[in-house]
């Protein structure tokens, strides 16, 4: 037999040693989400599912946790209540449903009962002629009588001597009406609960475990540059601008509510490596919204706010920091400094040498500007609002982030409080600085910075007085002003939060209209 026709030995079937894969539940149990739990829905080889997954960075629950409204970044499109309102509503709803069900009663006839009432077979015996026969009137059909819907109740035929027949029939009818009404009320309560579930927010609370879902994590689209470029750009000064993003994101699914994105952050004008569109694309991926078209909208909002504030923040009115040599320690040094102020700046009329003149020039040159303003702080932190009045110097080198960190440490505030207070202070300083430049309040102390400012046509100051800050008499505040300067933390009700949300929505729409007008002009 030719070798080509010889039967080839069959290969043994490959035995698969791949272990069986199981999957954890897609979500957690109802209730507050426990800490340090792995994302649900991951795969495992443990059939008992007793060992938690050990994989890291493959799954993420961040978008689903944000959509529960635990932070101010994302809130439902229509808010129906917070943690307290939800707890009260669910308790009242359970009480109403229990009352409806108990009010119907176990013995009350129901439409869904298999046999509301037992039907009685009544047999009547009659005699006719010489023979008698049995007639069953229950089986006899009459074409002349019209049966109504209440014939199924199974009442016995009426007796002329029975005076309570109509009342018994009325009671049965009212029992059925009560049962039908109870079923309709229970259905309406369940429907109301489903509608309210769409707008619950867990602001300031822990995320509910039954609403947490896992998604497959994707690599973030960052741009990585070389160390040489980073070192080259390290000395570039940081110019920060407060940015506010308010967007309404409708839902593509009818069963899911839309969301509102409210973000506050600082943008560095001198950032060389990250563009607004790159930042917006990463933000959309992180919070789980489609980059098209929202990444473009967010980038345009950032660019519009940067262009509006860039001319103000680039003008530096900061005084140089005081050193130990500038500090006066004793009364003799105070008198010496006051005597130096009376020395003539020019000339040797009374025999002063050039060295004394240089000292006088140095003392005159280090005159600090009085650019004090009042920062009206009003920041919503979860379900509370923080109000305070802070006196700030526009020429101070103190960074708002440093102040906010210490401020929150003193008040015991954590979480979103530090960045929110930092952005709020930057917004106030930006408005005051712009008004001070419009009023030319820096002409005497910072003439070069004032010369760079171009007045806006018809731009009236909004927050500053034309004569500048009131002269500082002492470090102690007057006693009648002590109530005005101090932090106040107030818990907001749901009505107040809705009112603030309406004001913020109007401001966001105004910003979008301004952006659309600017795009048409281009």
């Amino acid at each position: 037999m030719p070798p080509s026709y010889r039967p080839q030995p069959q290969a043994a079937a490959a035995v698969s040693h791949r272990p069986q894969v199981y999957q954890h539940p897609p979500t957690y149990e109802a209730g507050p989400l426990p800490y340090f739990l792995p994302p649900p829905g991951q795969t495992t080889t443990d059939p008992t599912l007793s060992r938690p997954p050990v994989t890291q960075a493959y799954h993420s629950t961040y978008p689903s946790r944000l959509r529960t409204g635990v932070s101010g970044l994302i809130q439902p499109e229509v808010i129906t209540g917070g943690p307290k309102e939800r707890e009260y509503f669910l308790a009242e709803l359970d009480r109403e449903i229990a009352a409806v069900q108990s009010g119907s009663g176990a013995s009350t006839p129901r439409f869904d009962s298999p046999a509301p009432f037992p039907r009685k077979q009544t047999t009547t015996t009659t005699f006719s002629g010489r023979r008698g026969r049995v007639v069953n009137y229950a089986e006899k059909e009459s074409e002349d009588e019209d049966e109504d819907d209440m014939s199924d109740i199974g009442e016995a035929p009426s007796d002329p001597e029975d005076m309570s027949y109509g009342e018994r029939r009325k009671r049965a009818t009212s029992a059925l009406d009560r049962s039908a009404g109870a079923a309709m009320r229970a259905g309406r309560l369940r429907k109301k609960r489903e509608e309210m579930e769409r707008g619950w927010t867990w602001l300031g609370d822990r995320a509910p475990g039954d609403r947490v879902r896992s998604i497959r994590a994707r690599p973030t689209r960052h741009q990585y540059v070389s160390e040489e470029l980073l070192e080259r750009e390290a000395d570039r000064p940081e110019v920060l601008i407060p940015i506010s993003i308010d967007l309404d994101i409708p839902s593509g699914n009818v069963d899911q509510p839309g969301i509102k994105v409210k973000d506050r952050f600082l943008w560095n004008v001198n950032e060389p490596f990250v563009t607004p569109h790159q930042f917006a694309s990463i933000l959309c991926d992180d919070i789980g919204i489609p980059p098209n078209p929202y990444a473009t909208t967010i980038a345009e909002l950032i660019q519009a706010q940067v262009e509006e504030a860039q001319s103000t923040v680039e003008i530096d009115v900061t005084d140089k920091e005081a050193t130990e040599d500038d500090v006066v320690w004793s009364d003799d040094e105070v008198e010496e400094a006051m005597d130096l102020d009376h020395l003539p700046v020019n000339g040797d009329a009374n025999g002063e040498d050039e060295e004394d003149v240089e000292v006088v020039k140095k003392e005159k040159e280090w005159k600090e500007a009085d650019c004090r303003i009042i920062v009206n702080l009003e920041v919503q932190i979860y379900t509370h609002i923080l109000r305070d009045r802070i006196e700030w110097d526009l020429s101070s080198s103190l960074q708002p982030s440093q102040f906010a960190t210490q401020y929150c440490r003193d008040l015991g505030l954590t979480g979103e409080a530090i960045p929110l207070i930092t952005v709020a202070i930057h917004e106030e300083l930006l408005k005051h600085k712009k008004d001070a430049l419009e009023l030319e309040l820096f002409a005497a102390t910072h003439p070069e910075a004032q010369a760079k400012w171009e007045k806006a046509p018809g731009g009236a100051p909004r927050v500053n007085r034309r004569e500048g800050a009131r002269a500082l008499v002492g470090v102690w505040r007057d006693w009648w002003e002590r109530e005005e300067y101090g932090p106040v933390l107030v818990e907001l009700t749901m009505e107040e939060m809705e009112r603030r949300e309406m004001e913020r929505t109007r401001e966001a729409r105004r910003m979008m209209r301004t952006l659309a007008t600017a795009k048409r002009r281009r």
Side-chain angles (χ1 to χ4, degrees), residues 41-314:
Q42 298 192 48
T43 58
T44 181
T45 57
D46 182 14
T48 62
L49 302 179
S50 59
R51 290 180 298 177
V54 295
T55 57
Q56 295 183 0
Y58 285 133
H59 296 79
S60 175
T61 61
Y62 186 65
S64 63
R65 286 186 285 113
L66 282 180
R67 289 177 181 270
T68 60
V70 293
S71 68
L73 178 59
I74 291 182
Q75 288 294 309
E77 186 177 10
V78 179
I79 299 178
T80 56
K84 293 183 177 180
E85 289 77 12
R86 182 180 65 257
E87 182 179 358
Y88 176 77
F89 173 79
L90 293 179
E92 289 292 327
L93 189 65
D94 293 339
R95 191 179 300 112
E96 291 181 10
I97 293 178
V100 168
Q101 293 177 352
S102 62
S104 61
S107 61
T108 304
R110 298 167 54 102
F111 285 111
D112 55 353
S113 298
F117 289 95
R119 184 173 299 181
K120 297 181 180 180
Q121 299 287 335
T122 305
T123 303
T124 306
T125 304
T126 61
F127 297 92
S128 175
R130 290 180 292 179
R131 298 183 60 184
R133 62 187 179 91
V134 178
V135 181
N136 190 350
Y137 290 98
E139 297 177 356
K140 185 178 180 180
E141 297 180 356
S142 176
E143 297 179 357
D144 299 333
E145 296 179 356
D146 186 12
E147 298 289 337
D148 56 4
D149 295 337
M150 299 309 296
S151 62
D152 295 335
I153 299 177
E155 288 285 350
S158 61
D159 188 355
E161 298 180 358
D162 187 4
M163 304 302 295
S164 64
Y165 172 74
E167 296 180 0
R168 286 188 285 110
R169 190 178 184 88
K170 187 182 298 183
R171 285 197 299 269
T173 305
S174 61
L176 286 174
D177 292 341
R178 286 197 302 270
S179 177
M184 293 178 62
R185 287 195 299 272
R188 286 195 296 265
L189 291 175
R190 295 188 186 96
K191 185 177 180 180
K192 183 179 180 181
R193 179 172 185 169
E194 294 176 358
E195 293 176 353
M196 297 291 287
E197 285 285 345
R198 295 164 57 89
W200 288 136
T201 174
W202 279 260
L203 184 62
D205 201 354
R206 291 166 62 181
D210 56 337
R211 295 200 175 194
V212 175
R213 301 290 187 275
S214 292
I215 61 172
R216 188 74 176 180
R218 294 180 298 177
T220 308
R221 292 176 290 184
H222 286 298
Q223 179 184 1
Y224 299 96
V225 296
S226 62
E227 293 291 337
E228 291 77 9
L229 289 177
L230 292 176
E231 292 179 359
R232 187 185 308 169
E233 299 293 338
D235 296 333
R236 180 178 294 194
E238 189 179 54
V239 181
L240 300 177
I241 292 179
I243 303 296
S244 298
I245 302 295
D246 290 281
L247 283 179
D248 293 340
I249 312 295
S251 176
N253 189 357
V254 181
D255 297 332
Q256 294 182 355
I259 60 174
K260 290 185 177 182
V261 179
K262 298 174 288 186
D263 200 3
R264 304 290 183 268
F265 55 90
L266 299 175
W267 184 265
N268 184 15
V269 177
N270 293 331
E271 172 59 47
F273 302 121
V274 180
T275 64
H277 193 274
Q278 291 175 352
F279 171 81
S281 300
I282 295 174
L283 177 62
C284 291
D285 291 339
D286 289 343
I287 63 180
I289 62 176
N292 187 16
Y294 298 111
T296 303
T297 304
I298 294 175
E300 290 175 352
L301 285 173
I302 295 174
Q303 192 63 35
Q305 296 178 61
V306 167
E307 292 176 358
E308 182 181 1
Q310 185 171 359
S311 59
T312 304
V313 298
E314 286 184 344

Side-chain angles (χ1 to χ4, degrees), residues 338-351:
M338 295 177 63
D339 294 339
L340 289 175
D341 288 340
H342 296 289
L343 292 177
V345 178
N346 299 323
D348 175 26
N350 296 325

